[in-house]
Amino acid sequence: MRLVPGPIAAGWATESVLHRVGIHQSTEIRFPVYGRIAISVDTRPEIKGLLPAELEDVLSDRGFERYRGRQIAQWMYGYGSTSFSEMTNLSKSARERQGESLNIMSLERAATEEASDGSAIKFLFQMTDGRRIESVLMREGKRRTLCVSSQVGCPLDCTFCATGKMGLVRNLTSGEIIDQVVQARRHLNAKDEDLTNVVMMGMGEPLLNLDAVSKATQLMNLDYGPAISNRRITVSTAGHVPGIHRLIEAGQKVMLAVSLNATTDDFRDEIMPINKKWPIEALLDACAAYQIFNGRRITFEYVLLGGLNDSVDHARALARLVRRIPCKINVIPWNPIDDEDYERPNESTIRSFVDTVVDAQMTVTVRYSKGTEITAGCGQLYQKMVDN
Ligand code: SAH
């Protein structure tokens, strides 16, 4: 952004202020007292988040060779380049011209927190409008899994989740979603490691931002990019039924996880308002359709809320409910958030719940969330952030 100095423009118009008031391009503002102030904001098209074919179109529209699209995509998504100057297989003059006419956005790393045992790292990213999101990188054996955010906040208002308390601020762009992956890979590559899995389980409801999520998951696949296959990408939903059908229509066979968390509509209505729109049976029908579509097991997440949904009877009811769908059950003992309405069940309750599900011949795992010490556990994202 360039500001043409006017009497007051230089004083107050920072880029993020301009974005907040909705100024995104060259604008002339007339002030009765100060007269005309010309403000010119960066209007170069943003290319991070474009699919290679889209990138080729943008390049050819601006007079560059189409085949450069693949090279640039490899630099951006594969090597994590943040500017054209790093793209050394392009001529110097092409790099300069591209830099003048195209923009590569990068999330700014505002903070990084690491759990003391190294099992989790939480990245706090700041976007160009000043908003912030979190991603959590988890290490377990040979797996390096990134938990990726899809929205700033979330509109769904699940009562047990910290992100829900924020409400929805905005959707992320495909560039902001893929850049979380690109940056986590850069972090790992510096230690001779690489990202193996992505779970869309950070802030937000991915199926309410499906266009951007779906572009980002396609970019994750790129063999000259992050090269993460669909079997290692999980999209998790609170139960947005039309979104599950749209995911089938999109045709990319990513893994699906569904946050079930309850065995009756009455209780699910109470803790997950989305259930009033799409109750359990409708949700399970959509899951069955998705399972047939991708041929892999659905994961049902089940947050254990002490004294509310964690009894042996609940475990039996859960097994009965999902039995008709090839699936795995992932039990998540509730992680504390500031609002202490709920309790985490004790170890013996967790054990009996899990044993009962196993006795009912279902596959079950317990997710002892990584990084609760740095409030990076499931459902804890963003409670410690201030000015969003
Ligand atoms: N909106 C999507 C993606 C978020 S995933 C979804 O709901 O699936 C976040 C997961 O963490 C969900 O399975 C949710 O049920 C779970 N969760 C939310 N708050 C939690 C908390 N405080 N403790 C443990 N798990 C929680």
Side-chain angles (χ1 to χ4, degrees):
M1 184 193 70
R2 283 167 219 108
L3 290 179
V4 178
I8 58 166
W12 61 268
T14 64
E15 186 165 359
S16 78
V17 167
L18 290 175
H19 277 268
R20 271 175 217 177
V21 297
I23 297 174
H24 293 281
Q25 39 193 298
S26 283
T27 308
E28 225 179 61
I29 305 179
R30 285 172 193 280
F31 290 94
V33 182
Y34 299 103
R36 204 170 56 106
I37 297 173
I39 299 171
S40 116
V41 180
D42 196 340
T43 55
R44 295 172 301 169
E46 169 50 49
I47 61 167
K48 194 174 278 170
L50 295 182
L51 297 170
E54 295 173 320
L55 186 52
E56 285 173 4
D57 289 344
V58 171
L59 286 169
S60 85
D61 285 352
R62 312 232 149 201
F64 299 106
E65 301 105 324
R66 294 188 78 83
Y67 75 92
R68 298 285 180 202
R70 186 191 154 125
Q71 292 173 321
I72 295 173
Q74 180 164 22
W75 283 106
M76 268 194 313
Y77 304 128
Y79 305 134
S81 300
T82 54
S83 83
F84 288 99
S85 57
E86 296 171 42
M87 305 182 183
T88 46
N89 58 351
L90 309 178
S91 76
K92 190 150 185 274
S93 83
R95 278 184 266 156
E96 278 166 9
R97 281 184 294 124
Q98 281 154 352
E100 278 161 20
S101 52
L102 305 168
N103 184 41
I104 303 177
M105 173 280 310
S106 281
L107 300 172
E108 184 191 319
R109 186 100 64 87
T112 308
E113 250 184 292
E114 185 154 7
S116 48
D117 63 357
S119 64
I121 302 176
K122 180 166 78 171
F123 299 110
L124 173 65
F125 291 117
Q126 177 151 323
M127 296 173 288
T128 42
D129 67 353
R131 308 272 185 212
R132 293 169 162 199
I133 48 159
E134 295 180 338
S135 325
V136 183
L137 177 59
M138 294 161 286
R139 289 198 159 89
E140 194 166 31
K142 288 193 170 156
R143 267 191 198 201
R144 300 291 175 268
T145 305
L146 187 69
C147 181
V148 170
S149 293
S150 56
Q151 297 181 313
V152 185
C154 179
L156 293 182
D157 211 20
C158 300
T159 55
F160 48 84
C161 175
T163 309
K165 310 259 176 249
M166 293 172 61
L168 177 67
V169 180
R170 71 166 172 87
N171 278 337
L172 298 189
T173 64
S174 54
E176 289 162 342
I177 298 171
I178 192 64
D179 205 37
Q180 298 171 58
V181 173
V182 167
Q183 297 221 21
R185 283 191 79 225
R186 242 190 141 151
H187 177 90
L188 286 169
N189 290 167
K191 300 173 195 278
D192 272 337
E193 297 181 52
D194 206 349
L195 191 64
T196 60
N197 296 64
V198 168
V199 292
M200 297 296 310
M201 295 185 187
M203 299 165 68
E205 167 54 43
L207 297 189
L208 288 176
N209 186 16
L210 190 53
D211 291 342
V213 165
S214 148
K215 260 190 203 183
T217 52
Q218 289 175 63
L219 293 172
M220 293 172 204
N221 284 167
L222 286 182
D223 57 358
Y224 52 86
I228 298 174
S229 68
N230 288 334
R231 288 182 58 185
R232 295 180 178 277
I233 300 173
T234 302
V235 171
S236 181
T237 177
H240 193 273
V241 167
I244 297 176
H245 292 299
R246 282 190 59 206
L247 203 55
I248 296 174
E249 282 157 25
Q252 190 185 355
K253 294 185 174 175
V254 293
M255 306 296 279
L256 181 67
V258 172
S259 303
L260 192 56
N261 300 342
T263 56
T264 63
D265 280 322
D266 276 352
F267 184 58
R268 200 165 190 271
D269 281 352
E270 220 176 278
I271 60 169
M272 303 181 74
I274 192 175
N275 194 66
K276 294 180 193 148
K277 223 163 179 180
W278 295 289
I280 294 177
E281 274 310 311
L283 176 56
L284 293 181
D285 286 347
C287 292
Y290 196 86
Q291 196 283 321
I292 291 167
F293 158 70
N294 89 335
R296 308 214 168 263
R297 289 195 282 182
I298 304 285
T299 298
F300 288 107
E301 293 152 292
Y302 190 92
V303 178
L304 276 188
L305 303 167
L308 294 175
N309 67 354
D310 62 345
S311 71
V312 164
D313 283 346
H314 288 118
R316 288 198 193 103
L318 175 62
R320 264 198 311 274
L321 195 60
V322 298
R323 169 171 307 292
R324 69 175 164 109
I325 301 167
C327 67
K328 296 183 260 199
I329 295 171
N330 192 201
V331 168
I332 317 173
W334 183 73
N335 295 315
I337 58 176
D338 279 349
D339 161 353
E340 292 292 339
D341 279 350
Y342 297 103
E343 270 173 35
R344 186 183 170 95
N346 62 34
E347 283 308 309
S348 78
T349 308
I350 299 173
R351 237 334 91 215
S352 335
F353 189 94
V354 169
D355 289 348
T356 309
V357 179
V358 171
D359 287 347
Q361 314 290 320
M362 306 298 292
T363 308
V364 57
T365 49
V366 184
R367 190 189 302 169
Y368 284 103
S369 295
K370 307 264 165 214
T372 43
E373 155 203 357
I374 52 171
T375 61
C378 302
Q380 293 183 311
L381 296 188
Y382 227 67
Q383 59 171 322
K384 287 278 160 67
M385 292 317 311
V386 260
D387 62 343
N388 214 12

mmCIF file of all heavy atoms in Angstrom, residues 289-308:
data_model
loop_
_atom_site.group_PDB
_atom_site.id
_atom_site.type_symbol
_atom_site.label_atom_id
_atom_site.label_comp_id
_atom_site.label_asym_id
_atom_site.label_seq_id
_atom_site.Cartn_x
_atom_site.Cartn_y
_atom_site.Cartn_z
ATOM 1 N N ALA A 289 -23.978 -42.258 3.684
ATOM 2 C CA ALA A 289 -23.766 -41.943 2.266
ATOM 3 C C ALA A 289 -22.292 -41.597 2.029
ATOM 4 O O ALA A 289 -21.686 -42.024 1.037
ATOM 5 C CB ALA A 289 -24.659 -40.774 1.851
ATOM 6 N N TYR A 290 -21.705 -40.847 2.941
ATOM 7 C CA TYR A 290 -20.297 -40.469 2.767
ATOM 8 C C TYR A 290 -19.403 -41.707 2.832
ATOM 9 O O TYR A 290 -18.456 -41.854 2.054
ATOM 10 C CB TYR A 290 -19.847 -39.437 3.820
ATOM 11 C CG TYR A 290 -18.549 -38.794 3.384
ATOM 12 C CD1 TYR A 290 -18.558 -37.680 2.546
ATOM 13 C CD2 TYR A 290 -17.318 -39.362 3.720
ATOM 14 C CE1 TYR A 290 -17.384 -37.134 2.077
ATOM 15 C CE2 TYR A 290 -16.127 -38.820 3.252
ATOM 16 C CZ TYR A 290 -16.170 -37.707 2.434
ATOM 17 O OH TYR A 290 -15.007 -37.176 1.949
ATOM 18 N N GLN A 291 -19.744 -42.614 3.742
ATOM 19 C CA GLN A 291 -18.921 -43.823 3.913
ATOM 20 C C GLN A 291 -18.937 -44.655 2.622
ATOM 21 O O GLN A 291 -17.907 -45.168 2.200
ATOM 22 C CB GLN A 291 -19.473 -44.620 5.099
ATOM 23 C CG GLN A 291 -18.513 -45.681 5.630
ATOM 24 C CD GLN A 291 -18.486 -46.904 4.747
ATOM 25 O OE1 GLN A 291 -19.521 -47.331 4.227
ATOM 26 N NE2 GLN A 291 -17.286 -47.467 4.565
ATOM 27 N N ILE A 292 -20.103 -44.716 1.991
ATOM 28 C CA ILE A 292 -20.191 -45.453 0.725
ATOM 29 C C ILE A 292 -19.376 -44.733 -0.346
ATOM 30 O O ILE A 292 -18.672 -45.348 -1.132
ATOM 31 C CB ILE A 292 -21.668 -45.624 0.295
ATOM 32 C CG1 ILE A 292 -22.345 -46.598 1.263
ATOM 33 C CG2 ILE A 292 -21.784 -46.099 -1.142
ATOM 34 C CD1 ILE A 292 -23.854 -46.636 1.164
ATOM 35 N N PHE A 293 -19.432 -43.408 -0.318
ATOM 36 C CA PHE A 293 -18.694 -42.608 -1.304
ATOM 37 C C PHE A 293 -17.182 -42.823 -1.203
ATOM 38 O O PHE A 293 -16.514 -43.079 -2.201
ATOM 39 C CB PHE A 293 -19.050 -41.123 -1.131
ATOM 40 C CG PHE A 293 -18.036 -40.163 -1.681
ATOM 41 C CD1 PHE A 293 -17.850 -40.028 -3.057
ATOM 42 C CD2 PHE A 293 -17.257 -39.378 -0.827
ATOM 43 C CE1 PHE A 293 -16.917 -39.134 -3.564
ATOM 44 C CE2 PHE A 293 -16.323 -38.483 -1.322
ATOM 45 C CZ PHE A 293 -16.151 -38.363 -2.698
ATOM 46 N N ASN A 294 -16.628 -42.746 0.003
ATOM 47 C CA ASN A 294 -15.154 -42.840 0.026
ATOM 48 C C ASN A 294 -14.639 -44.220 0.438
ATOM 49 O O ASN A 294 -13.436 -44.468 0.351
ATOM 50 C CB ASN A 294 -14.519 -41.697 0.840
ATOM 51 C CG ASN A 294 -14.365 -41.999 2.294
ATOM 52 O OD1 ASN A 294 -15.095 -42.822 2.842
ATOM 53 N ND2 ASN A 294 -13.421 -41.345 2.941
ATOM 54 N N GLY A 295 -15.535 -45.102 0.849
ATOM 55 C CA GLY A 295 -15.131 -46.475 1.124
ATOM 56 C C GLY A 295 -14.303 -46.649 2.392
ATOM 57 O O GLY A 295 -13.737 -47.717 2.610
ATOM 58 N N ARG A 296 -14.192 -45.602 3.195
ATOM 59 C CA ARG A 296 -13.380 -45.708 4.422
ATOM 60 C C ARG A 296 -14.264 -45.447 5.634
ATOM 61 O O ARG A 296 -15.353 -44.901 5.515
ATOM 62 C CB ARG A 296 -12.248 -44.702 4.398
ATOM 63 C CG ARG A 296 -11.459 -44.807 3.138
ATOM 64 C CD ARG A 296 -10.008 -44.507 3.349
ATOM 65 N NE ARG A 296 -9.287 -44.902 2.168
ATOM 66 C CZ ARG A 296 -8.653 -46.059 2.027
ATOM 67 N NH1 ARG A 296 -8.602 -46.912 3.024
ATOM 68 N NH2 ARG A 296 -8.043 -46.348 0.901
ATOM 69 N N ARG A 297 -13.742 -45.845 6.771
ATOM 70 C CA ARG A 297 -14.561 -45.665 7.970
ATOM 71 C C ARG A 297 -14.712 -44.197 8.353
ATOM 72 O O ARG A 297 -13.773 -43.416 8.230
ATOM 73 C CB ARG A 297 -13.935 -46.433 9.127
ATOM 74 C CG ARG A 297 -14.094 -47.930 8.929
ATOM 75 C CD ARG A 297 -13.816 -48.680 10.190
ATOM 76 N NE ARG A 297 -12.388 -48.809 10.440
ATOM 77 C CZ ARG A 297 -11.896 -49.467 11.488
ATOM 78 N NH1 ARG A 297 -12.711 -50.003 12.377
ATOM 79 N NH2 ARG A 297 -10.595 -49.559 11.649
ATOM 80 N N ILE A 298 -15.904 -43.871 8.814
ATOM 81 C CA ILE A 298 -16.157 -42.541 9.377
ATOM 82 C C ILE A 298 -15.586 -42.542 10.794
ATOM 83 O O ILE A 298 -15.600 -43.569 11.470
ATOM 84 C CB ILE A 298 -17.693 -42.291 9.473
ATOM 85 C CG1 ILE A 298 -18.388 -42.465 8.129
ATOM 86 C CG2 ILE A 298 -18.019 -40.955 10.133
ATOM 87 C CD1 ILE A 298 -18.184 -41.344 7.154
ATOM 88 N N THR A 299 -15.090 -41.405 11.247
ATOM 89 C CA THR A 299 -14.731 -41.289 12.667
ATOM 90 C C THR A 299 -15.834 -40.515 13.378
ATOM 91 O O THR A 299 -16.224 -39.437 12.923
ATOM 92 C CB THR A 299 -13.404 -40.512 12.819
ATOM 93 O OG1 THR A 299 -12.376 -41.263 12.164
ATOM 94 C CG2 THR A 299 -13.026 -40.342 14.293
ATOM 95 N N PHE A 300 -16.338 -41.095 14.461
ATOM 96 C CA PHE A 300 -17.269 -40.340 15.307
ATOM 97 C C PHE A 300 -16.521 -39.856 16.540
ATOM 98 O O PHE A 300 -15.989 -40.661 17.308
ATOM 99 C CB PHE A 300 -18.470 -41.204 15.721
ATOM 100 C CG PHE A 300 -19.411 -41.468 14.574
ATOM 101 C CD1 PHE A 300 -19.468 -42.720 13.979
ATOM 102 C CD2 PHE A 300 -20.227 -40.450 14.087
ATOM 103 C CE1 PHE A 300 -20.326 -42.954 12.902
ATOM 104 C CE2 PHE A 300 -21.086 -40.679 13.010
ATOM 105 C CZ PHE A 300 -21.122 -41.929 12.411
ATOM 106 N N GLU A 301 -16.473 -38.521 16.673
ATOM 107 C CA GLU A 301 -15.855 -37.966 17.872
ATOM 108 C C GLU A 301 -16.926 -37.869 18.958
ATOM 109 O O GLU A 301 -18.090 -37.554 18.675
ATOM 110 C CB GLU A 301 -15.296 -36.568 17.564
ATOM 111 C CG GLU A 301 -14.130 -36.623 16.580
ATOM 112 C CD GLU A 301 -14.005 -35.353 15.750
ATOM 113 O OE1 GLU A 301 -14.909 -35.102 14.914
ATOM 114 O OE2 GLU A 301 -13.026 -34.617 15.946
ATOM 115 N N TYR A 302 -16.500 -38.142 20.173
ATOM 116 C CA TYR A 302 -17.461 -38.120 21.279
ATOM 117 C C TYR A 302 -16.775 -37.477 22.473
ATOM 118 O O TYR A 302 -15.921 -38.082 23.128
ATOM 119 C CB TYR A 302 -17.914 -39.553 21.582
ATOM 120 C CG TYR A 302 -19.078 -39.655 22.545
ATOM 121 C CD1 TYR A 302 -20.387 -39.690 22.083
ATOM 122 C CD2 TYR A 302 -18.853 -39.714 23.918
ATOM 123 C CE1 TYR A 302 -21.468 -39.782 22.976
ATOM 124 C CE2 TYR A 302 -19.918 -39.807 24.816
ATOM 125 C CZ TYR A 302 -21.218 -39.841 24.338
ATOM 126 O OH TYR A 302 -22.271 -39.937 25.223
ATOM 127 N N VAL A 303 -17.108 -36.209 22.730
ATOM 128 C CA VAL A 303 -16.513 -35.497 23.864
ATOM 129 C C VAL A 303 -17.183 -36.000 25.141
ATOM 130 O O VAL A 303 -18.414 -35.976 25.257
ATOM 131 C CB VAL A 303 -16.755 -33.975 23.744
ATOM 132 C CG1 VAL A 303 -16.187 -33.247 24.954
ATOM 133 C CG2 VAL A 303 -16.123 -33.434 22.475
ATOM 134 N N LEU A 304 -16.373 -36.461 26.068
ATOM 135 C CA LEU A 304 -16.926 -36.971 27.328
ATOM 136 C C LEU A 304 -17.085 -35.843 28.323
ATOM 137 O O LEU A 304 -16.103 -35.243 28.766
ATOM 138 C CB LEU A 304 -15.979 -38.008 27.932
ATOM 139 C CG LEU A 304 -16.048 -39.449 27.460
ATOM 140 C CD1 LEU A 304 -15.158 -40.307 28.351
ATOM 141 C CD2 LEU A 304 -17.476 -39.996 27.468
ATOM 142 N N LEU A 305 -18.333 -35.556 28.663
ATOM 143 C CA LEU A 305 -18.643 -34.492 29.616
ATOM 144 C C LEU A 305 -19.036 -35.170 30.931
ATOM 145 O O LEU A 305 -20.041 -35.900 30.981
ATOM 146 C CB LEU A 305 -19.801 -33.637 29.087
ATOM 147 C CG LEU A 305 -19.585 -33.012 27.706
ATOM 148 C CD1 LEU A 305 -20.898 -32.461 27.135
ATOM 149 C CD2 LEU A 305 -18.544 -31.893 27.797
ATOM 150 N N GLY A 306 -18.216 -34.967 31.960
ATOM 151 C CA GLY A 306 -18.403 -35.663 33.246
ATOM 152 C C GLY A 306 -19.833 -35.605 33.750
ATOM 153 O O GLY A 306 -20.426 -34.529 33.847
ATOM 154 N N GLY A 307 -20.404 -36.791 34.041
ATOM 155 C CA GLY A 307 -21.737 -36.872 34.648
ATOM 156 C C GLY A 307 -22.881 -36.614 33.678
ATOM 157 O O GLY A 307 -24.045 -36.728 34.051
ATOM 158 N N LEU A 308 -22.575 -36.268 32.433
ATOM 159 C CA LEU A 308 -23.654 -35.908 31.497
ATOM 160 C C LEU A 308 -23.839 -36.926 30.364
ATOM 161 O O LEU A 308 -24.970 -37.225 29.989
ATOM 162 C CB LEU A 308 -23.386 -34.516 30.906
ATOM 163 C CG LEU A 308 -23.444 -33.354 31.897
ATOM 164 C CD1 LEU A 308 -23.047 -32.052 31.226
ATOM 165 C CD2 LEU A 308 -24.856 -33.231 32.485
#
